[in-house]
Amino acid sequence: MNKLIFVTIMWAFSFSLIGVCLKGVDSTFLALLRVGVALICFLPFMRFNNPKLAFTTAFIGAFQIGVMYLFYYASFSYLSVVEVALFTIFTPFYVTIFYDLFSFKFRKLYLLSVGLAVFGAFIIKFGNINEGFLKGFLLIQGANICFGFGQSAYKFILEKKGLKDQMHNFGFFFLGAIIPCFVAFLIFGDGSKTALNLTQILVILWLGVGASAVGYFLWNKGACEVDSGVLAIMNNALIPTAILVNLIFFGAKADILKLIIGGGIIYLSLLVHKKIMKYYGLKNS
């Protein structure tokens, strides 16, 4: 679980960096650059020893990262940084639902702890919504569904395969992701919005190397070390963390009381989940 906590803190800065520093740059171009930088990081480690697993990983990456980034970056044109973070509150449901579908199981009590986490994020959610609410909301839900499907599928497949050495295979994750990003840029990209200044180049390098290459590798590896309920809850823990970063480092405004109460409920959901795990006789990861 330590990997998930570390990546949560890392990703918390991504919301503000994208919403503030990369504002005005074509969203499909940004998605393509970020995935491309991450892919370059893994090229030296890639091994095509298991073609079936490589193609499966690429397929998952196409959705979890590729299509997800296209939805995610586009949403910043309609929503503020705080709103983008808040509208990810439904991700835990998608994570749990997809994983249960893959496993042909349905642990009803997981909905209690996951629902509690969503409720905590929902408390933080109340505030002013701009005119692009519906479009931005739908874009974020598209991103949430892709992200939930991807990490659940990756966790399920690696648990089934029993693969411990993920380094040589993970590059295919970004190889798959770059395909929809490249196609989207060719079709929808705006060439007049691709000029970058030095700050934006540094931000993209950080997002590609740090948040994507290192972040997603550790996140998906950590996802295989915990059960699906903890994975779902950690998705929502990103919300208050991202908002805090936006408040402290980027000067945004938010209701501090709601943030504290909502964050406290999300933490409580982790405690409740531990009890549920004991009920199911599962090991506390």
Side-chain angles (χ1 to χ4, degrees), residues 6-24:
F6 175 77
V7 176
T8 294
I9 297 172
M10 182 186 295
W11 282 351
F13 285 87
S14 298
F15 286 91
S16 296
L17 289 173
I18 295 169
V20 177
C21 300
L22 300 180
K23 189 175 183 179

Side-chain angles (χ1 to χ4, degrees), residues 16 56 58 85-86 127 146 152 179 194 200 206 261-262 271 279:
S16 296
T56 301
L86 291 174
C146 290
S152 296
I179 296 174
T194 57
Q200 291 172 326
W206 158 250
I261 295 174
L271 301 180
Y279 174 82

Side-chain angles (χ1 to χ4, degrees), residues 190-206:
D190 186 346
S192 65
K193 296 181 179 180
T194 57
L196 303 172
N197 58 40
L198 179 59
T199 299
Q200 291 172 326
I201 292 174
L202 293 175
V203 168
I204 289 172
L205 287 174
W206 158 250

Side-chain angles (χ1 to χ4, degrees), residues 133-285:
F133 163 72
L134 181 59
K135 189 173 290 187
F137 178 81
L138 292 177
L139 285 169
I140 284 296
Q141 295 318 302
N144 291 342
I145 289 173
C146 290
F147 192 59
F149 165 79
Q151 60 185 304
S152 296
Y154 188 85
K155 174 179 170 62
F156 177 77
I157 289 173
L158 262 68
E159 286 177 344
K160 187 176 181 180
K161 298 287 185 181
L163 184 64
K164 295 182 179 180
D165 183 15
Q166 301 176 39
M167 180 64 75
H168 293 160
N169 183 66
F170 202 72
F172 295 101
F173 187 76
F174 291 104
L175 184 62
I178 206 169
I179 296 174
C181 291
F182 181 70
V183 172
F185 177 65
L186 289 179
I187 299 175
F188 304 108
D190 186 346
S192 65
K193 296 181 179 180
T194 57
L196 303 172
N197 58 40
L198 179 59
T199 299
Q200 291 172 326
I201 292 174
L202 293 175
V203 168
I204 289 172
L205 287 174
W206 158 250
L207 292 173
V209 177
S212 290
V214 176
Y216 279 105
F217 178 74
L218 290 179
W219 181 271
N220 280 11
K221 191 175 179 64
C224 297
E225 298 172 359
V226 300
D227 70 283
S228 60
V230 168
L231 180 59
I233 291 169
M234 287 307 300
N235 276 275
N236 255 0
L238 178 61
I239 296 174
T241 310
I243 294 174
L244 281 174
V245 167
N246 197 235
L247 290 171
I248 297 172
F249 296 97
F250 294 88
K253 296 181 180 180
D255 192 318
I256 302 298
L257 180 60
K258 290 179 181 177
L259 183 63
I260 293 174
I261 295 174
I265 292 176
I266 290 176
Y267 175 73
L268 177 62
S269 69
L270 279 172
L271 301 180
V272 172
H273 182 73
K274 288 182 179 181
K275 298 292 184 181
I276 293 175
M277 288 176 65
K278 290 182 179 179
Y279 174 82
Y280 282 120
L282 298 174
K283 182 179 178 181
N284 190 0
S285 301

